[in-house]
Every structure is written in structure tokens, then in C-alpha cells.
Amino acid sequence: TTNLFFEISGINTANYSNLVLSLGHHKSTIASSNELAIEVSADGTNYSSLTYSRASGSGTAVWALVNPTGAIPSATNLRIRFRQTSTSPQFRIDDVKLTGVAATVSPSISAVGTLAAVSTTYGTASANPTSFTVSGANLAEGITVAPPAGFEVSVGNNNNFSGKGNSVIVGSSGTVANTTVFVRLAANTDVGTYSGNIVCSSVGATDATVATVASTVSPRPLSVTANLLRKTYGTEDPELTYNASESAPFSGSITRKLGENVGAYAITQGDLSAGPNYSLSFTGNNFEITRKSLNITAGNMTKTAGQTLVLGAGQTNFTSSGLVNGETIGSVTLTASGGTQAEDLAGIYTLTPSEATGGTFSPSNYSTIYNSGTLTVLDAPTIVTIEDWAAQKGLEGENASPSADPDGDGMSNLLEYYLGLDPTQSGGTNQNTMVVVPGPNNTVSMTYR
């Protein structure tokens, strides 16, 4: 039977070059032909022949070393086929040997994929991460995946990100199968536009890079509302306060329009800021200064019936409490419920102050309470002549004359009359004919005959 063969297959020569085959061949006859074809194939379909020389001619069968020549391919499944070329008896081979030079195998990294933009708002990581795949071969260690500034990466899922700018390790030494790497902007990335290359590296391997698409971090909206504040005229300002929609790294402060008189003053943003990562929206309010309580009280006054008292504007007979900042009141208007005319009867009348003015105070800064005083009108003293007085004392004749001294105390009747003494008793008795009354503004009035 012709074309009998056997084949050695599954030989991995992918990492070898300069392949050389040798074998022992037993020539089974004395014929001159080699009787054996030696063929090689990289795919099991297409075979190429190797050539070799062997002694030919007559002679007894003998083993001989054969060194075929020809190209032997580098393949992951090399096949070597030994095929009979005649109907001659059997052929035998032994000690098949394939040698070659091992190729230097370099570690390699592959990164595949086109990334999309992952824009977001400060404080929130990108809602929809983008991704690519990375793999490696012949590695001494795993693949380090390093994101550019502002980005973070996660291996295998989108729930375990590394943190802004931090690297992750994919796989270990040897072969790293295709692995998905997710990419997004970190929540704490500052406002701005970010791009750059994601670098995949391992010892001895050429870096593989994946370009990110320019992605933007927008300012975070932040609302601030000033609180309505009040103070009473003349007191210190309370601290200006506000409410914010969320906590933020605030600096500076809000302010109010200047002024210390009663009224409403706008509260403005001033130099309050939360930094470039926030878009601050400010709503103002009012700072109100309210009136202070001021008490003005009319001073009490006294007059005698028959006298005329002139009141009205420009009066200073009053007291006050509640003024601040050393302010003063010039005068008030005083009106009486009666008693100011000469013919008015004795009694107590009401004095009412109003219309404080002058000095250094401003009426618009105060809520003024006017308190009344009293006007006391006294009866006029009864006029008694010295003659009637002497008669009342029981003096007659010479003892009733103004120059007499009936009691012999050295004081004449006239002097005793003036002083209100008794002319019949030595030293006399004070009959309080002199009237002393307190007057306005710490004065004293004395009425006598």
C-alpha cells in the first residue's frame, strides 16, 4: 500500500525560530530511493516538504541520521508528517528531534475603547460613567490603571471607585483577560474642564493609554437668604445672620446699609462667598431700627390765687428718662387744665407736657410718652390791719399803739405784728403767718404781710 503516514501534531513553536529537525531513519531495502517524504504544516491543511539526503545504492538495510532541510514554520500547532512514497516494505524512524532558538517574549498591554464625556455638577460624581477594556500578556505583575486629574476609576463594576486621581490594579502576573474599567469625574473635583490620558502600565510593558473626552464640572447651586433683624434705637447691632440651602465653606460676611436712625436698612450680600465651586444666589432682607421709649414728665408748680401764670411753648419745667447717646431735649409745651389766670380759684390743676423739641435728640427716633404734673393754686393770705390785730389781742388805749410794748419783751406791737407773735406774751407765739412753699426747679417762694 502506498502513502501510508503518521503525524506528530500539537507542537507549539510560536515562540521559537531557526527550527531544525533531525531523526533516525532505517532504510528498509537496498533500493536507491529514500522511500520517505517528510512534510510540515502550520494549519493542518497546507503541507510543505522538507528535503534530505541519504546514501543510496545497494547494500543492506541500515539506520542513518537524517537532517531534513527547508522552512519549518513557527506555529501554535505545528504538524510533522512522515509519508511512505513507494510500495516497498515498511519504514522506520526514531529519535525525532526538533530544536530552535527561543524568542524573547515581551510583556504587553492592550487598552481598547472610546470614552464619552462625563460632565457633572460639583459635589456629585458623574451619573453615567464611561468605560474601556484592558488586557495583558506575559506580565510580571498586574496592570496599574492611573486616571488623569479630576477622574476616578473602578474595575469590573461602577460601585467601587478609587477616589480622585487614585490608581487601581487590574489582574496579576501572567495573562490578564479583558477587564472592563469604568471612568467618571469624582464628586470632589473642583469646578473646571478636565481631560487627559488614562495610563495603563506594568513592569517591562509599553504603556497603553486611553484618551478621556473633555468633561466639565459645573458650579453647585447654593441659595442664601438673609434673616430679618431688628434693634432698638441707641443699642448695639446684633450679628447679621442668614440661612443657606446647604452647608458650604463660607467666607466673608453679609452687611447692611449704614445708618443709626429709626428706619429700615437693606441687608446685602457683602463679600459673602462659598468659593468657586458654588453658584451663590442671595436673597436680601431688612435690618429695622425701632423707636426707643422716652418718658417726659411735667414738673409740679405752685402759685397763689390772684397771680397769673404764663405757660405754652419753650418751657423747661420737666424731667425726662430714656434718652441715649448723651442726647438732650431743649423744651416742651406745657398746658394747664386751669389755674393760670389771676381770678382762678385755689385748687390742684393738671399740667400736660407735649411737643418736645430742641436739644440734640431727634423726635423721630423715640416713642414719647408724656406724663402730667400738677399746678397747685393757694388761697391768697387775708390782710389784717394793725389796729384790728391789736383789738383781736385785747389791747386798749396806749397799749394798742404800734410803738407800745405791753408784754415788756423789747419788741413793739408793730414788730410783733410783722413776725406774727403774741404782744401779750414775752417772746410771742409763732402763728405761721408767713407761708413758705416749694416752687419749680428747686426754688422757694415766701409770702408775708
Side-chain angles (χ1 to χ4, degrees):
T1 302
T2 60
N3 294 322
L4 295 176
F5 71 90
F6 75 91
E7 185 176 88
I8 303 172
S9 63
I11 307 170
N12 187 354
T13 60
N15 294 322
Y16 293 86
S17 61
N18 300 324
L19 294 168
V20 175
L21 179 66
S22 65
L23 66 144
H25 178 211
H26 185 270
K27 185 175 175 65
S28 60
T29 68
I30 60 174
S32 61
S33 66
N34 287 332
E35 304 169 341
L36 179 67
I38 303 175
E39 302 164 322
V40 293
S41 174
D43 57 12
T45 300
N46 300 302
Y47 286 83
S48 59
S49 296
L50 303 180
T51 61
Y52 65 93
S53 298
R54 175 171 174 182
S56 61
S58 61
T60 59
V62 64
W63 283 95
L65 178 64
V66 174
N67 294 298
T69 60
I72 300 176
S74 296
T76 56
N77 185 12
L78 176 68
R79 294 171 173 83
I80 303 175
R81 186 167 67 182
F82 303 91
R83 182 169 54 82
Q84 182 184 24
T85 60
S86 70
T87 59
S88 58
Q90 66 181 0
F91 63 84
R92 286 179 283 176
I93 60 175
D94 197 3
D95 296 329
V96 177
K97 182 180 180 181
L98 182 64
T99 62
V101 177
T104 301
V105 179
S106 299
S108 62
I109 300 172
S110 174
V112 178
T114 300
L115 302 182
V118 285
S119 297
T120 188
T121 299
Y122 176 76
T124 304
S126 306
N128 298 303
T130 185
S131 65
F132 68 96
T133 59
V134 64
S135 61
N138 306 309
L139 299 177
E141 60 182 32
I143 301 170
T144 299
V145 179
F151 292 89
E152 59 182 354
V153 290
S154 176
V155 176
N157 62 74
N158 57 5
N159 296 317
N160 188 27
F161 281 85
S162 61
K164 182 175 65 175
N166 293 332
S167 302
V168 296
I169 304 297
V170 180
S172 58
S173 59
T175 299
V176 175
N178 280 339
T179 302
T180 301
V181 177
F182 293 90
V183 184
R184 70 181 184 183
L185 284 169
N188 59 342
T189 299
D190 292 333
V191 167
T193 299
Y194 296 84
S195 63
N197 289 331
I198 298 173
V199 179
C200 304
S201 62
S202 187
V203 173
T206 300
D207 292 347
T209 60
V210 178
T212 62
V213 177
S215 301
T216 301
V217 178
S218 301
R220 186 177 186 83
L222 177 64
S223 298
V224 174
T225 302
N227 293 322
L228 173 66
L229 292 173
R230 295 184 177 91
K231 77 166 186 174
T232 301
Y233 173 74
T235 61
E236 294 292 329
D237 276 14
E239 180 183 1
L240 300 178
T241 58
Y242 55 85
N243 291 316
S245 57
E246 61 181 276
S247 60
F250 289 107
S251 62
S253 59
I254 59 178
T255 187
R256 74 170 179 91
K257 185 178 179 181
L258 296 178
E260 290 299 329
N261 290 322
V262 168
Y265 299 86
I267 299 175
T268 59
Q269 183 174 344
D271 61 353
L272 182 70
S273 171
N277 289 328
Y278 292 87
S279 175
L280 194 154
S281 174
F282 182 81
T283 301
N285 215 319
N286 282 334
F287 182 92
E288 297 180 354
I289 300 178
T290 60
R291 294 171 179 260
K292 189 179 185 309
S293 294
L294 171 63
N295 281 277
I296 296 178
T297 304
N300 295 329
M301 302 179 70
T302 302
K303 58 159 276 193
T304 302
Q307 295 177 335
T308 299
L309 179 63
V310 178
L311 299 177
Q315 303 296 309
T316 58
N317 182 28
F318 66 91
T319 58
S320 66
S321 63
L323 290 171
V324 295
N325 303 324
E327 295 174 347
T328 61
I329 300 173
S331 64
V332 298
T333 295
L334 289 177
T335 58
S337 61
T340 59
Q341 302 302 311
E343 63 273 16
D344 289 337
L345 299 176
I348 297 177
Y349 300 87
T350 301
L351 282 175
T352 302
S354 63
E355 299 180 11
T357 187
T360 59
F361 92 119
S362 174
S364 62
N365 288 329
Y366 292 91
S367 178
T368 304
I369 301 171
Y370 291 98
N371 302 297
S372 61
T374 59
L375 170 61
T376 301
V377 179
L378 302 174
D379 284 325
T382 302
I383 303 300
V384 180
T385 66
I386 191 169
E387 289 79 12
D388 293 337
W389 173 79
Q392 290 173 1
K393 298 301 181 181
L395 300 178
E396 297 177 351
E398 291 295 330
N399 285 334
S401 68
S403 60
D405 182 13
D407 56 8
D409 61 1
M411 298 178 68
S412 66
N413 287 337
L414 183 60
L415 185 57
E416 300 241 27
Y417 166 74
Y418 172 71
L419 296 177
L421 303 177
D422 188 340
T424 64
Q425 298 181 14
S426 179
T429 299
N430 190 346
Q431 297 178 333
N432 294 321
T433 56
M434 288 188 292
V435 180
V436 180
V437 296
N441 298 327
N442 300 318
T443 62
V444 174
S445 174
M446 181 175 70
T447 302
Y448 58 89
R449 285 196 290 262

